[in-house]
Amino acid sequence: DSSTSRGLGDVYKRQLGVLTAVTGVSGSGKSTLVNDILYKRLYAHFYDSRTRSGNHDGIAGLEHITDVIAIDQTPLGRSPRSNPATYIGVYDEIRHLFSALPESVERSYTPGRFSFNVRGGRCEECAGEGIVVTSLHFMPDVEAPCPSCKGRRYNEETMEILYRDHSIADILAMPIEEAADFFEKQGLIAHKLDTLCQLGLGYLQLGQSCTTLSGGEAQRVKLGFELSKVKRGGKKFYILDEPTTGLHLSDIRKLLDALQRLVDAGNTV
């Protein structure tokens, strides 16, 4: 009846803007409910109506959210060129910082000069990979540091440009925690790096290949990216799948604090 409908509507609204944990024994239907029904239904609503969700009678309250974001443990990228700096967007900021230095301006170096994906600034012997791969018949390929750049990815001319006595290669080799201190006066860069530190990822190298990250580390980098751009009054719907797997208790606390920040900004987790 109408009174029951109003009551259910109030319940639905109360489930938004909070942190909700779905628990249960193995095989009880947690993944089916959250991933196959809830996420796919929301994804179909916001992005692709062709997406088929699991059987359900209906979902109320879609008008109260603006987006759905799944933060899972899938790899950040299959290419060894992808790293935390590129994923959270500080790599572009750092390259622009280097290109604005007086010596770069004198040499007409653009931000592209400081990319290991572009000819000109990268080491051409390894094409900016930092490693050379030797293919062996009937055996796994062998990887070794590039003999020309010693694994630093850039040519000598590029690494002659220094920001506070550090080359672009030096900075990518920094642990994220050290890089956050190094760029403390660069507001946007420092903010994004501090977010990763708050998630317990300060030990990762800024330029560490994403292919070497564990599933939990990849998930927290994704979460850090979302946190770095969160604003008050958000109405997004975030879904995480077993985000605490393999984490130390102190890291779980950091993770929960980060999730609460999303909720405090008006989002649903």
Side-chain angles (χ1 to χ4, degrees):
D1 60 12
S2 59
S3 61
T4 301
S5 298
R6 286 197 300 272
L8 287 175
D10 292 339
V11 171
Y12 290 135
K13 291 178 183 178
R14 286 202 298 270
Q15 299 313 305
L16 295 176
V18 297
L19 170 62
T20 299
V22 180
T23 67
V25 298
S26 178
S28 60
K30 302 182 299 297
S31 295
T32 299
L33 172 63
V34 177
N35 297 328
D36 293 344
I37 297 178
L38 182 59
Y39 174 68
K40 288 186 177 180
R41 177 65 183 88
L42 295 178
Y43 188 87
H45 176 74
F46 289 109
Y47 294 104
D48 187 352
S49 60
R50 296 170 298 178
T51 301
R52 299 290 298 274
S53 58
N55 291 330
H56 62 286
D57 293 332
I59 296 180
L62 292 177
E63 68 275 12
H64 298 298
I65 58 177
T66 59
D67 196 4
V68 61
I69 299 170
I71 305 177
D72 56 24
Q73 298 195 11
T74 56
L76 299 177
R78 297 181 180 179
S79 169
R81 296 177 183 272
S82 180
N83 56 55
T86 58
Y87 191 87
I88 66 172
V90 299
Y91 186 42
D92 289 342
E93 299 292 334
I94 292 172
R95 291 192 296 111
H96 279 88
L97 190 63
F98 268 84
S99 66
L101 295 173
E103 190 170 356
S104 293
V105 174
E106 183 179 334
R107 298 187 186 188
S108 299
Y109 286 175
T110 65
R113 176 81 193 196
F114 301 95
S115 171
F116 48 69
N117 294 318
V118 179
R119 287 181 178 272
R122 70 184 185 185
C123 170
E124 288 304 329
E125 184 163 341
C126 64
E129 293 278 1
I131 58 173
V132 291
V133 180
T134 303
S135 298
L136 302 176
H137 294 293
F138 310 112
M139 295 180 66
D141 294 344
V142 175
E143 296 182 354
C146 173
S148 179
C149 67
K150 305 297 188 296
R152 292 165 67 80
R153 296 185 165 192
Y154 298 92
N155 57 37
E156 288 296 332
E157 291 77 12
T158 301
M159 290 189 289
E160 287 174 356
I161 306 298
L162 302 179
Y163 174 73
R164 296 179 56 195
D165 298 326
H166 287 71
S167 70
I168 183 72
D170 294 331
I171 288 173
L172 290 180
M174 284 182 178
I176 291 175
E177 187 173 21
E178 180 181 341
D181 291 335
F182 185 79
F183 288 110
E184 62 178 348
K185 294 184 179 179
Q186 301 295 327
L188 183 58
I189 297 175
H191 168 66
K192 292 184 176 182
L193 295 180
D194 282 339
T195 301
L196 294 183
C197 291
Q198 291 167 12
L199 289 168
L201 296 173
Y203 62 90
L204 295 178
Q205 283 187 337
L206 192 58
Q208 184 171 335
S209 173
C210 284
T211 59
T212 67
L213 303 183
S214 69
E217 289 170 337
Q219 187 176 39
R220 282 185 286 163
V221 171
K222 295 176 185 178
L223 179 58
F225 174 68
E226 293 298 329
L227 284 169
S228 69
K229 60 182 183 179
V230 69
K231 297 181 180 179
R232 298 291 307 178
K235 292 184 178 180
K236 295 182 179 180
F237 198 104
Y238 294 92
I239 295 176
L240 293 88
D241 192 1
E242 299 188 5
T244 61
T245 299
L247 295 186
H248 187 274
L249 287 176
S250 62
D251 287 330
I252 291 176
R253 170 49 56 193
K254 293 177 181 177
L255 175 66
L256 291 176
D257 289 343
L259 296 181
Q260 191 60 49
R261 285 169 53 197
L262 287 176
V263 172
D264 290 343
N267 302 291
T268 300
V269 180

